[in-house]
């Protein structure tokens, strides 16, 4: 029989799953988080006698698709010290549980152990589990110290629109420098794609790098990505609702200031919006044959004021395409993508957790492989 260990248990107040006349009830339940060789589970019981009979009122087999998180603006509860436990992405087959604890410390303790369990793809030794708990607590503490991001109309970014072309090229140089930095940690390479990140604990924004080789010349990759990211292109999904607030075309490199709104595939999550300055950098502007795109959050006086949206902030992000000589002396493209982003509130906590669990890394590799295949198909068409 599998040996199980009780990580944490105690009384909480849980919101009922059924609403009567639009109202839900809150009932006291005994909750228990258990770890075993096959993973972890969270159960709740109506009374103590049910524990001995192994008759929970509900049970979740925890994995990396679940997370314990703070509540979003649109799901505030009247009960104190609440958190949510549920699926990372919208899934009608999985329920989101709302739990109220007696104290803030108890709430944070539950979130700590639950997220440490969900970020483990398999059962871990106790010492490693304790380190994971510590990492979760550090991230939670850092997020709680950050100012609220829900008020719109405030200057979320101190970076004004950059009109100086020399300064814009300096932004590109900084992007290249960050990508080439030796400070990347937790580097992981599979199927020719390397995913790395900077420390989540010591950075305000999640910083992730994806890098791999695409077997086409860099100018072909650059041309395709420019076409594919325009509206109607095969990679246009993030830009379909984009509103261009300003174009900077008096000097090279040209730039655009764009505003976009996004719905979030997360139960009860507030929609996000973002204002970015974006530049394409063709290879004739660089001295080493590199090309790519750079973007960052900016402030603009014409940003729409939309109630209920949470502002996304991006530090220097984008991609760099560099010449790469293959074993047969063909010139291919080394593509490095940098994402430095704070999607705010519970979504940021879940983004960091999904990376640590491995779920996000799988998604990033899949996305890179998809882009690479599209670029190769385009190259074959160009060649005739």
């Amino acid at each position: 029989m599998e040996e199980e260990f009780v990580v944490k248990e105690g009384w909480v107040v849980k919101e009922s799953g059924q609403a009567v006349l639009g109202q839900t009830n809150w009932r006291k339940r005994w909750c228990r988080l258990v770890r075993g060789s096959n993973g972890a589970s969270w159960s709740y019981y109506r009374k103590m006698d049910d524990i001995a009979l192994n008759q929970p009122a509900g049970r979740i087999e925890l994995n990396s698709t679940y997370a314990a998180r703070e509540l979003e603006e649109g799901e505030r509860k009247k009960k104190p010290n609440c958190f949510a436990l549920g699926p990372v992405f919208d899934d009608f087959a999985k329920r989101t549980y709302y739990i109220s604890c007696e104290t803030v410390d108890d709430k944070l303790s539950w979130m700590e152990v639950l997220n440490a369990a969900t970020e483990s793809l398999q059962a871990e030794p106790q010492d490693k589990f304790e380190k994971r708990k510590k990492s979760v607590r550090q991230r939670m503490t850092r997020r709680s110290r950050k100012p609220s991001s829900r008020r719109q109309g405030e200057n979320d970014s101190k970076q004004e629109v950059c009109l100086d072309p020399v300064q814009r090229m300096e932004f590109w140089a900084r992007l290249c420098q960050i990508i080439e930095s030796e400070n990347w940690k937790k580097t992981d390479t599979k199927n020719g794609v390397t995913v790395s990140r900077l420390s989540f604990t010591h950075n305000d924004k999640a910083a992730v790098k994806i890098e791999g080789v695409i077997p086409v010349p860099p100018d072909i990759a650059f041309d395709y990505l420019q076409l594919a990211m325009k509206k109607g292109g095969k990679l246009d999904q993030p830009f379909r609702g984009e509103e261009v607030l300003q174009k900077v075309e008096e000097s090279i490199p040209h730039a655009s200031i764009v505003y976009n709104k996004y719905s979030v595939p997360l139960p009860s999550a507030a929609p996000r919006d973002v204002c970015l300055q974006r530049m394409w950098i063709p290879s004739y502007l660089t001295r080493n044959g590199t090309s790519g795109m750079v973007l960052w959050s900016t402030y603009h006086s014409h940003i729409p004021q939309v109630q209920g949206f949470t502002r996304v902030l991006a530090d220097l992000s984008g991609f760099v395409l560099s010449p790469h000589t293959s074993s047969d002396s063909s010139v291919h493209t080394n593509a490095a993508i940098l994402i430095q982003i704070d999607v705010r509130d519970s979504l940021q906590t879940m983004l960091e957790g999904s990376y640590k669990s491995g779920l996000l890394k799988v998604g990033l590799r899949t996305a890179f492989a998809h882009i690479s295949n599209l670029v190769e198909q385009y190259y074959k068409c160009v060649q005739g």
Side-chain angles (χ1 to χ4, degrees), residues 49-289:
D49 292 345
D50 292 342
I51 300 176
L53 297 173
N54 193 25
Q55 294 179 343
R59 178 186 176 96
I60 301 175
E61 298 297 331
L62 295 174
N63 55 40
S64 59
T65 65
Y66 281 92
R69 58 179 177 80
E70 298 282 1
L71 304 190
E72 287 276 323
E73 180 70 13
E75 56 181 347
R76 297 296 165 188
K77 306 295 181 180
K78 294 181 180 179
K79 293 290 183 180
N81 308 319
C82 284
F83 70 94
L85 173 63
V88 174
F89 302 107
D90 271 330
D91 186 340
F92 295 111
K94 295 178 181 177
R95 174 182 166 189
T96 295
Y97 295 85
Y98 295 101
I99 300 158
S100 171
C101 299
E102 187 172 343
T103 66
V104 174
D105 284 345
D106 195 32
K107 166 192 164 181
L108 294 177
S109 177
W110 271 113
M111 292 178 68
E112 175 186 334
V113 295
L114 286 166
N115 280 330
T118 60
E119 291 176 18
S120 306
L121 293 179
Q122 56 188 11
E124 296 176 327
Q126 186 61 26
D127 59 342
K128 190 172 181 180
F129 186 75
E130 291 298 324
K131 289 181 180 179
R132 191 176 289 274
K133 281 171 52 181
K134 183 179 178 181
S135 173
V136 171
R137 175 62 73 120
Q138 287 174 334
R139 299 196 323 261
M140 286 165 46
T141 301
R142 174 174 59 84
R143 304 300 311 170
S144 67
R145 289 199 302 263
K146 298 196 69 167
S148 172
S149 61
R150 298 182 184 93
R151 291 174 297 169
Q152 296 299 301
E154 55 190 4
N155 186 348
D156 282 322
S157 173
K158 297 179 181 179
Q159 180 62 49
E160 296 285 345
V161 174
C162 179
L163 301 177
D164 181 358
V166 174
Q167 188 178 4
R168 293 205 297 275
M169 287 304 295
E170 289 175 354
F171 275 86
W172 167 254
R174 282 173 53 195
L175 175 73
C176 296
Q177 183 180 21
I178 294 169
I179 285 176
E180 295 171 0
S181 166
E182 297 179 358
N183 295 326
W184 294 97
K185 60 183 291 187
K186 303 296 182 183
T187 297
D188 185 73
T189 301
K190 288 182 181 177
N191 301 323
V193 181
T194 300
V195 183
S196 311
R197 68 173 174 84
L198 297 181
S199 169
F200 289 142
T201 304
H202 300 105
N203 293 282
D204 288 339
K205 299 174 179 64
V208 179
K209 178 176 71 168
I210 311 99
E211 191 166 14
V213 175
I214 303 175
V216 304
D219 58 333
I220 296 294
F222 181 80
D223 290 345
Y224 176 78
L225 291 172
Q226 274 198 305
L227 291 171
M229 293 170 66
K230 291 180 179 179
K231 290 183 180 180
K234 291 190 175 182
L235 299 175
D236 77 332
Q237 186 174 5
F239 316 104
R240 287 175 187 171
E242 187 173 271
E243 179 181 348
V244 179
L245 303 181
Q246 181 181 347
K247 289 187 177 181
V248 183
E249 298 179 328
E250 298 81 14
S251 55
I252 296 175
H254 297 164
S256 298
I257 292 80
V258 298
Y259 171 80
N260 213 337
K261 297 181 291 186
Y262 299 93
S263 59
V264 179
L266 170 70
S268 304
R272 264 61 176 173
D273 66 352
V274 62
C275 184
L276 299 169
Q277 182 161 344
R278 183 175 63 215
M279 298 183 302
W280 289 91
I281 307 293
S283 59
Y284 67 78
L285 290 180
T286 66
R287 298 179 179 178
N288 54 4

